[in-house]
Amino acid sequence: MLVLLAAAMPLRIPLPWPVVGSVIGSVSILDLLLLVAAASLVPNLLRRRLNLGYRPLAMALAIPPLVAALSLLWSQDRAESLRTTLISVEAFIAYLFITRELEGLSAERVVAYLGRYAWLVLVPAVLLMLHVPGFGPYGSDYHTGYAVSYYARLSHPVLGGSNNLATVLAILVPPLLYWGHSRRDWRATLAGLIAAMGVVCTLSRGVLAASVIAGVGYLALLPISRRPWARRRPVPGKVLGKVLIGTLSLSAGAVALYRFNPPTHEYISGRLSPDSILKRVELYSEASEKIGARPFLGYGAGVIPYGDPVNPVDVHNTYVQQALSFGLPLGVIVGVAIAGLPLFFLLRRRVHPLAGPLGYAVLVEVVTFAFESSYEGTVLRVLFYLLLAMLAGLLRAATIESTATRSGPDGRSRSARTTARSRSVSVFPSA
């Protein structure tokens, strides 16, 4: 819970040492807790019992920090590449720590952690929207005109603008809503519904578009016999009722934001204009030129090409960014590792039905990375790894519980017990 609290409000502390500060700049409370977590993982590493959770998932998540560290050999700015590498390593430590801490917990307990984190992230965002003192935009955004957008749409005082908040909340909505519906857990349903309303109130076009695109992709990956239009059974009235209530609630949240928040009136017109799309096209064009200049090695993790601030490193596309940083060969490897993360969950739908909503949640994230730069954030990359570990821990706990339910007190499966019972009847007919 301490890590989740720090991850919800990762306040940063400037470092007084010039040498260290030139590379890191500042540390957050979350950084300090994960440093302690890394120290606690050392005994497990020495005993060769380090818990990787699902090994394929851990191997995919280890690729970005390894490639970032490798880019130090040719980076044009080794200090910046070192900082980016440290962030990637910290993110992987967060995955290992959460994986170890969730081992042995029940699925219900893991869902409770997810719900608590959703509330912990949303409360500061609402306090910022209400102009509560102490919850204004944190850091450099507070002194710029960009701070106005924080009050026009739901944003987070520390995590950043609305796109960052929407990226964090989007991965929480599917597992919470599915668990609340399938297990009749009103707490999970409420947390998922409020998180979904928070995503809508961020007015993040990238996340909202990614949710639709991911939904289409998810249905395309379903077997034909399991697609909704292939089912002959009618949809239960309770499901339709919940969908209707959820849709009305989300619409009411968006209307209330526009009706009662004056800054939204001025900002909403900019969200409907194509200007930002044209700017993205210009960024992609500039990025392609830079990639063409160094197609094999790139410029190094997190490096602005040639130190030219006119051509920013932030191209609002994680996959193009990897090619900029590492070149086309390694950039494609890192991009495929990130884009392929949903398949880890989607391929396990036969093992447990919960894997489907979890895969959809991760699919929304990786599609969002094609429109936003959230993955490149100092804190958001760590949070992405942390939340992936929680989803993997939830799937593992639910799978273990499902297997235990199908097995008897002697550990045998239900079919094995039935076979043994039939043999006993044939051998002892009088019984």
Side-chain angles (χ1 to χ4, degrees):
M1 274 310 300
L2 287 176
V3 172
L4 292 183
L5 283 169
M9 280 290 287
L11 295 170
R12 305 198 70 81
I13 305 169
L15 292 176
W17 306 291
V19 177
V20 180
S22 62
V23 177
I24 301 177
S26 61
V27 297
S28 67
I29 300 175
L30 178 62
D31 297 333
L32 298 177
L33 286 177
L34 290 178
L35 185 62
V36 176
S40 70
L41 291 171
V42 173
N44 301 105
L45 183 62
L46 295 177
R47 297 172 186 172
R48 296 183 179 179
R49 285 174 17 187
L50 190 62
N51 187 357
L52 296 177
Y54 291 104
R55 190 173 294 273
L57 179 62
M59 292 176 63
L61 293 176
I63 291 176
L66 289 175
V67 175
L70 184 63
S71 72
L72 289 170
L73 298 175
W74 63 81
S75 174
Q76 291 189 339
D77 187 347
R78 284 193 170 86
E80 181 63 29
S81 294
L82 178 59
R83 188 184 73 86
T84 304
T85 301
L86 291 175
I87 293 172
S88 298
V89 172
E90 180 185 4
F92 193 68
I93 289 173
Y95 168 81
L96 294 177
F97 174 73
I98 295 298
T99 298
R100 188 191 68 181
E101 292 303 303
L102 295 183
E103 184 180 11
L105 296 185
S106 65
E108 185 178 4
R109 184 72 177 275
V110 180
V111 171
Y113 280 128
L114 289 171
R116 292 172 190 173
Y117 184 69
W119 288 109
L120 289 172
V121 172
L122 279 168
V123 168
V126 174
L127 294 178
L128 182 149
M129 184 67 69
L130 297 176
H131 296 265
V132 175
F135 288 90
Y138 185 78
S140 59
D141 288 334
Y142 180 77
H143 304 286
T144 64
Y146 185 69
V148 178
S149 67
Y150 277 69
Y151 298 101
R153 45 187 184 152
L154 194 66
S155 303
H156 195 279
V158 180
L159 296 180
S162 58
N163 291 335
N164 296 347
L165 177 61
T167 302
V168 174
L169 292 176
I171 198 172
L172 299 171
V173 174
L176 288 173
L177 289 181
Y178 177 83
W179 185 270
H181 169 70
S182 61
R183 301 298 178 96
R184 298 181 180 179
D185 186 345
W186 67 269
R187 295 181 181 85
T189 301
L190 180 61
L193 183 61
I194 296 299
M197 188 180 299
V199 173
V200 172
C201 290
T202 61
L203 304 179
S204 175
R205 294 171 300 181
V207 174
L208 295 176
S211 301
V212 177
I213 295 173
V216 175
Y218 179 80
L219 291 177
L221 293 173
L222 280 177
I224 296 178
S225 60
R226 298 185 61 186
R227 294 177 185 177
W229 55 82
R231 298 177 182 176
R232 297 181 178 179
R233 293 180 300 174
V235 180
K238 290 184 178 180
V239 176
L240 292 176
K242 290 181 179 180
V243 172
L244 179 61
I245 293 174
T247 303
L248 293 176
S249 301
L250 297 181
S251 302
V255 171
L257 177 67
Y258 181 81
R259 177 65 178 82
F260 298 107
N261 191 41
T264 306
H265 299 173
E266 304 174 3
Y267 192 79
I268 192 67
S269 60
R271 304 303 294 168
L272 300 176
S273 68
D275 294 342
S276 61
I277 298 177
L278 297 177
K279 291 180 180 178
R280 299 286 177 88
V281 174
E282 294 178 0
L283 286 175
Y284 295 158
S285 176
E286 294 173 358
S288 64
E289 294 178 2
K290 295 299 183 182
I291 293 173
R294 290 177 64 92
F296 297 107
L297 294 179
Y299 300 89
V303 176
I304 298 177
Y306 301 111
D308 184 5
V310 177
N311 295 288
V313 69
D314 183 5
V315 293
H316 284 79
N317 187 307
T318 294
Y319 308 105
V320 176
Q321 186 62 55
Q322 307 313 308
L324 255 179
S325 298
F326 310 122
L328 288 176
L330 292 176
V332 169
I333 292 175
V334 176
V336 169
I338 297 172
L341 291 173
L343 293 177
F344 166 81
F345 296 94
L346 295 176
L347 294 176
R348 285 168 170 76
R349 286 175 299 189
R350 293 183 179 274
V351 178
H352 198 282
L354 181 60
L358 299 183
Y360 171 72
V362 182
L363 185 60
V364 171
E365 292 289 290
V366 300
V367 174
T368 301
F369 292 159
F371 307 119
E372 308 291 350
S373 58
S374 302
Y375 180 79
E376 308 302 324
T378 303
V379 178
L380 292 174
R381 183 177 304 194
V382 178
L383 296 185
F384 178 59
Y385 275 61
L386 185 150
L387 292 173
L388 272 179
M390 295 186 73
L391 297 187
L394 174 59
L395 178 59
R396 181 170 58 176
T399 303
I400 293 174
E401 291 176 3
S402 177
T403 304
T405 302
R406 293 195 299 265
S407 301
D410 56 355
R412 294 182 298 175
S413 64
R414 184 179 302 172
S415 59
R417 297 198 311 273
T418 304
T419 303
R421 191 181 300 113
S422 63
R423 288 176 178 175
S424 66
V425 171
S426 62
V427 174
F428 303 102
S430 60

